[in-house]
Amino acid sequence: MTQATSQQIPVRQLETILAPIHQATGLSNAFYTDQRLFELERDEVMGKTWACVGFASDLSQNGSVKPVDFMGLPLLLMRNREGLVQVFHNVCSHRGMKLVEEAGTVQGVIRCPYHSWTYDLNGGLKGTPHVGGIDKHKDERFACEKHGLKAIRSAIWMDMVFVNLSGDAQPLEEMLAPLTARWSQFLGDDGMGLMRRRANMDSTTLDIACNWKLAVENYCEAYHLPWVHPSLNTYSRLEDHYNILFDEQFAGQGSYAYNLSDVAGTHLPQFPSWPQDRLRNAEYVAFFPNVLLGIQADHAFAMQLEPVAPGRTIEHLRLFYVGDEALSDEYAACRNAILESWKVVFAEDIASVEGMQKGRHSPGYGGGAFSPEMDIPTHYFHQWAARKLLALAQNA
């Protein structure tokens, strides 16, 4: 890391975040508006842990490719001929041309539009036309096996494709183990394996003018419920919620009174291990940095936050149902009712997070304050981010 980069980190301000919640301030405006800090977060915060970049089921068949932009880095998700999903840098090894512009299915090989070099779906370099001169497509001075696409360490959990840019984070399954252990009280040992979704369905996307961290902060707390989610508050009220925070990288909220199935009139198959006396329990947990998760007795969801710019985030929501039967035509109306209900809830948050983003341009705001009781999960997230950034400054 360069000296100039380390000087961007306001150490004293970050240290105030680690104070007890009633004395703490939050992240300052620059962390929501500054392009340099946005890129610093990509490389040194998100890049050193596991960040979600897409969903495996969106690559619906072998040979599928999907380009994604990860905070300015062009990446390529690929499902090879054997069905394995991998992630590569989406650039040709020759002159750095971006290879794939649109999602689709590759029938043969991936061809660079610049000099027509070709790659297979495992990233291997297969064709180098005229590399040794006219009509000399091979050259003993050039070893194709050394110039394939550059792979990125990746892993899949709950259909989400995660990448670790630095390559040295602890294994994803180990990082998620505290969450799976917590949720075993609802899902049992087999619940994760029962989750089903239909490719390119049961989903929605929201393009929001806010920093990605505001989406996490808003998701973590129930404090805003009575004013921002009046319909949800009628059956899952503020006083029915509890805070969740554990293992440094998980925070959110739970409800004792989730009742969408009655409100929406749905009757979907339920997780077989879900306790019958806790059918109205639901938990909503953020897995830092950019995944929002929710479980209920009859469905689950995952949301990937795609940071596009300091002031722009795309939210990708995917719904999961329980077992193959839940995907049958019999439950089509129920699935649609669930999706429409969540669309309403997440749309109601847009004005709040966009309003906070606008406020981050005001010199009258310097990190704000926290409710000592209602903002505990949000402060937990700020502390997580502050620790990551302070560690970076100390190691510079």
Side-chain angles (χ1 to χ4, degrees):
M1 190 173 101
T2 66
Q3 185 69 21
T5 302
S6 65
Q7 291 174 349
Q8 294 174 30
I9 301 176
V11 172
R12 290 186 179 179
Q13 195 275 325
L14 290 171
E15 288 174 342
T16 68
I17 298 170
L18 302 183
I21 189 169
H22 62 283
Q23 298 173 334
T25 61
L27 291 163
S28 58
N29 287 348
F31 287 103
Y32 301 85
T33 60
D34 187 273
Q35 178 66 28
R36 294 174 302 168
L37 289 175
F38 180 76
E39 293 171 2
L40 182 70
E41 287 177 340
R42 177 195 67 198
D43 298 337
E44 304 292 343
V45 178
M46 284 201 175
K48 291 190 174 179
T49 185
W50 291 96
C52 181
V53 294
F55 294 86
S57 57
D58 288 350
L59 301 164
S60 57
Q61 56 186 302
N62 294 354
S64 294
V65 297
K66 184 176 183 180
V68 298
D69 182 285
F70 180 61
M71 301 175 77
L73 294 182
L75 306 182
L76 182 62
L77 281 59
M78 298 204 295
R79 186 182 292 276
N80 70 10
R81 301 298 180 201
E82 292 70 47
L84 176 67
V85 174
Q86 300 174 88
V87 183
F88 298 88
H89 288 286
N90 187 14
V91 290
C92 181
S93 298
H94 178 211
R95 304 303 307 149
M97 179 76 177
K98 185 176 180 181
L99 281 174
V100 180
E101 293 285 352
E102 296 181 356
T105 303
V106 176
Q107 299 300 329
V109 291
I110 296 172
R111 186 176 301 278
C112 176
Y114 193 16
H115 296 100
S116 206
W117 285 25
T118 56
Y119 301 85
D120 64 21
L121 290 173
N122 291 309
L125 178 59
K126 292 302 178 183
T128 52
H130 311 297
V131 69
I134 301 301
D135 293 332
K136 294 181 180 178
H137 308 313
K138 299 289 182 183
D139 190 306
E140 62 182 15
R141 297 168 294 178
F142 183 84
C144 285
E145 61 271 16
K146 295 182 179 180
H147 297 281
L149 299 183
K150 302 301 186 290
I152 298 171
R153 186 185 183 202
S154 62
I156 297 173
W157 181 83
M158 197 174 155
D159 193 48
M160 289 173 283
V161 181
F162 290 83
V163 296
N164 169 222
L165 293 180
S166 66
D168 57 5
Q170 71 181 105
L172 179 64
E173 291 286 347
E174 290 182 12
M175 195 169 287
L176 285 159
L179 179 64
T180 56
R182 177 186 179 88
W183 278 356
S184 65
Q185 64 182 306
F186 300 109
L187 305 179
D189 295 330
D190 59 348
M192 295 297 296
L194 293 173
M195 291 188 188
R196 302 286 187 272
R197 71 169 299 257
R198 300 173 298 166
N200 305 312
M201 304 183 76
D202 306 316
S203 63
T204 192
T205 300
L206 296 171
D207 194 335
I208 304 175
C210 78
N211 186 272
W212 66 274
K213 293 186 292 298
L214 291 175
V216 177
E217 295 169 27
N218 179 73
Y219 188 76
C220 282
E221 50 102 331
Y223 192 7
H224 65 283
L225 204 65
W227 306 282
V228 178
H229 302 296
S231 60
L232 182 61
N233 194 59
T234 61
Y235 62 85
S236 186
R237 301 165 301 168
L238 178 60
E239 55 265 39
D240 297 322
H241 285 72
Y242 56 93
N243 292 329
I244 298 171
L245 46 153
F246 60 99
D247 200 58
E248 289 195 5
Q249 60 219 358
F250 301 95
Q253 53 177 305
S255 172
Y256 296 114
Y258 169 83
N259 197 25
L260 182 58
S261 58
D262 286 352
V263 172
T266 58
H267 55 280
L268 286 155
Q270 299 175 345
F271 289 102
S273 297
W274 200 285
Q276 290 300 299
D277 60 346
R278 301 177 70 185
L279 290 177
R280 291 193 175 184
N281 276 64
E283 291 203 343
Y284 309 101
V285 175
F287 171 43
F288 309 151
N290 72 325
V291 167
L292 313 179
L293 301 164
I295 57 167
Q296 296 78 205
D298 58 2
H299 72 284
F301 66 76
M303 177 178 280
Q304 171 211 355
L305 302 176
E306 178 189 349
V308 178
R312 183 185 172 206
T313 301
I314 300 177
E315 299 182 347
H316 302 275
L317 177 71
R318 301 291 187 271
L319 294 180
F320 302 83
Y321 299 100
V322 184
D324 296 332
E325 180 189 3
L327 302 185
S328 67
D329 291 344
E330 175 186 354
Y331 295 104
C334 295
R335 292 192 304 269
N336 186 63
I338 294 288
L339 176 60
E340 292 306 312
S341 296
W342 283 117
K343 281 183 177 180
V344 170
V345 171
F346 285 113
E348 287 173 340
D349 285 314
I350 293 175
S352 297
V353 293
E354 291 190 341
M356 286 189 289
Q357 182 67 29
K358 293 173 182 176
R360 293 306 186 273
H361 293 276
S362 169
Y365 183 83
F370 297 100
S371 160
E373 291 297 329
M374 307 304 290
D375 285 324
I376 293 173
T378 301
H379 181 230
Y380 199 76
F381 171 61
H382 278 245
Q383 289 183 312
W384 173 85
R387 288 191 188 100
K388 297 287 186 185
L389 292 160
L390 284 169
L392 180 60
Q394 291 163 2
N395 294 329

